[in-house]
Amino acid sequence: MENISGLMAFDMGELRNNLPKKRGLSRFYSGKARSYVCIFDVKCLEDLKKPTQLLDIDDDDVAYTKRKKKNKQSSSSSFSAAVNSNVNYQNYPCRRVSSSTHCSSPCMPKQKAQKKQLKSYKLRHINRTIQEGDAVLMRSSEPGKPSYVARVEAIEATDARGSNARVRVRWYYRPEESMGGRRQFHGAKEVFLSDHFDLQSADTIEGKCKVHSFSSYTKLSSVGNDDFFCRFEYNSATGAFIPDRVAVFCKCEMPYNPDDLMVQCEECSEWFHPSCIGTTIEAAKKLDHFYCEECSPEQQDLDNSNSTSKNTDAKVNTKRSLEVSKTRNKHAKRSG
């Protein structure tokens, strides 16, 4: 019993000096943990409660705590003032959630100027007006290179007054700009409508031009510098053409080039290049009548003479065979 009473009389306050200090439990408390009290000092139930204030707090920590609380209050008040202001913000779908749901607080994205679509636009530097669907000549980035040909797909203003504009264009490719390069049947004013779109400033337009269809281009009485024609669509990625099949003419079986002179046979209506029929362009221009080798009268006379000689030979051979058969029959009767 004495031992037990001695243990009960042990002063628990000595543990404070023997237990290690627990650092890191709180950045504002540098002393010991106060999760316990000395039983010797307990007189009533109120003594078992934890102290409400932190002990051994440095002045710097107190200043830091006050500064942090002040910043937190100022930030929350500024945000609430912005939300509760009279400005009505539209509730945009938050990018962090699905588009079907909306945030409880309105998102405030950065507003961009809306693009104004124009039906027409006047180019002051050339005093011309362009519209959607017009073919234009655009300045090349390389000096000495001919102007690019493009078709205007859309016009949009870059400012509220519409004084500046950009054009969305679809490029025409020249034959030398394609994968296969320029061929013999390509015309000097031929272009291909590509699948290449681009957005350019309207100030790069040098003038307007006209891109004809192939049939209308061949009917022009005179071709100007601003006249072009297109009969193919071109895929800039694969190098394929649409259509991929065209009619061919002459012995060389090449498509028609409207820049080259060709002569037509009056009999079969086929077209031929002067070089393919053994003549020159100057001589072909002086021809009043032309027949190809198969339809020429001399060739027809030669064909007729050949057919007549063949018929004569056939008749002679038939007559000889009849005479031979008759002599054989006579010899057979005499022997009998």
Side-chain angles (χ1 to χ4, degrees):
M1 294 294 294
E2 295 178 358
N3 295 334
I4 296 175
S5 62
L7 292 173
M8 293 179 63
F10 180 74
D11 188 5
M12 297 293 291
E14 297 295 330
L15 290 176
R16 298 178 183 178
N17 300 325
N18 297 328
L19 291 176
K21 292 184 180 181
K22 295 183 179 180
R23 303 284 185 180
L25 295 178
S26 175
R27 61 186 303 175
F28 308 113
Y29 181 68
S30 60
K32 304 172 185 178
R34 301 290 296 185
S35 299
Y36 60 91
V37 293
C38 182
I39 298 178
F40 185 78
D41 297 334
V42 174
K43 303 298 182 181
C44 61
L45 293 177
E46 295 296 330
D47 296 339
L48 294 174
K49 293 183 179 180
K50 291 185 179 181
T52 57
Q53 296 182 355
L54 299 177
L55 301 178
D56 300 335
I57 300 179
D58 297 334
D59 295 338
D60 295 338
D61 294 338
V62 174
Y64 177 82
T65 304
K66 292 181 180 180
R67 187 166 59 252
K68 184 178 180 182
K69 185 180 295 185
K70 183 178 180 181
N71 294 337
K72 185 176 181 180
Q73 291 177 354
S74 61
S75 61
S76 61
S77 60
S78 61
F79 176 77
S80 60
V83 172
N84 298 326
S85 61
N86 296 328
V87 180
N88 294 326
Y89 295 100
Q90 183 179 359
N91 290 333
Y92 291 95
C94 183
R95 295 183 180 179
R96 292 175 293 178
V97 296
S98 61
S99 58
S100 60
T101 60
H102 289 73
C103 295
S104 58
S105 60
C107 300
M108 293 174 287
K110 184 178 180 181
Q111 296 183 358
K112 296 182 180 179
Q114 295 183 354
K115 298 178 181 178
K116 183 180 179 181
Q117 299 294 329
L118 304 177
K119 294 183 178 179
S120 62
Y121 181 74
K122 185 174 182 180
L123 303 172
R124 296 183 181 86
H125 58 283
I126 60 175
N127 197 20
R128 298 289 297 274
T129 302
I130 59 172
Q131 297 178 351
E132 294 182 4
D134 288 346
V136 293
L137 297 172
M138 307 198 71
R139 183 171 61 248
S140 174
S141 58
E142 301 178 8
K145 195 173 182 180
S147 301
Y148 297 121
V149 185
R151 188 174 72 184
V152 178
E153 299 291 329
I155 308 172
E156 60 182 34
T158 57
D159 55 3
R161 296 180 299 174
S163 57
N164 297 319
R166 295 187 299 180
V167 289
R168 187 172 185 267
V169 297
R170 185 176 182 182
W171 295 109
Y172 284 99
Y173 278 33
R174 288 186 170 87
E176 55 268 18
E177 296 171 346
S178 63
M179 291 184 181
R182 181 172 288 277
R183 303 285 296 280
Q184 180 182 353
F185 60 88
H186 289 146
K189 307 302 291 290
E190 184 170 5
V191 290
F192 310 139
L193 182 61
S194 71
D195 58 349
H196 182 190
F197 293 85
D198 203 355
L199 193 63
Q200 296 288 330
S201 173
D203 296 334
T204 60
I205 298 177
E206 295 181 334
K208 297 177 67 174
C209 62
K210 182 68 175 178
V211 179
H212 304 269
S213 63
F214 180 71
S215 59
S216 62
Y217 182 81
T218 55
K219 297 176 183 178
L220 293 178
S221 58
S222 60
V223 179
N225 294 329
D226 298 336
D227 290 322
F228 299 88
F229 74 93
C230 176
R231 55 178 165 179
F232 295 107
E233 290 188 10
Y234 177 69
N235 190 321
S236 59
T238 61
F241 290 92
I242 301 175
D244 57 350
R245 295 178 182 272
V246 291
V248 294
F249 303 92
C250 190
K251 296 179 180 179
C252 59
E253 296 184 351
M254 296 292 290
Y256 178 54
N257 185 350
D259 298 333
D260 293 342
L261 177 67
M262 298 185 75
V263 292
Q264 188 180 29
C265 176
E266 296 182 5
E267 185 68 24
C268 63
S269 300
E270 282 289 337
W271 291 89
F272 298 89
H273 297 108
S275 58
C276 295
I277 58 176
T279 185
T280 61
I281 297 177
E282 290 76 11
K285 290 180 179 179
K286 297 177 182 179
L287 291 176
D288 295 331
H289 303 280
F290 170 71
Y291 296 92
C292 63
E293 293 179 357
E294 297 179 357
C295 302
S296 63
E298 294 147 2
Q299 184 67 26
Q300 289 180 358
D301 293 340
L302 181 59
D303 293 340
N304 292 334
S305 62
N306 291 335
S307 62
T308 304
S309 61
K310 289 180 181 179
N311 293 333
T312 305
D313 293 340
K315 292 179 181 179
V316 170
N317 292 331
T318 305
K319 187 176 181 181
R320 287 178 181 176
S321 62
L322 290 174
E323 291 178 353
V324 170
S325 62
K326 287 180 181 180
T327 54
R328 287 179 180 176
N329 291 335
K330 289 180 181 180
H331 288 297
K333 290 179 181 179
R334 287 176 184 176
S335 62

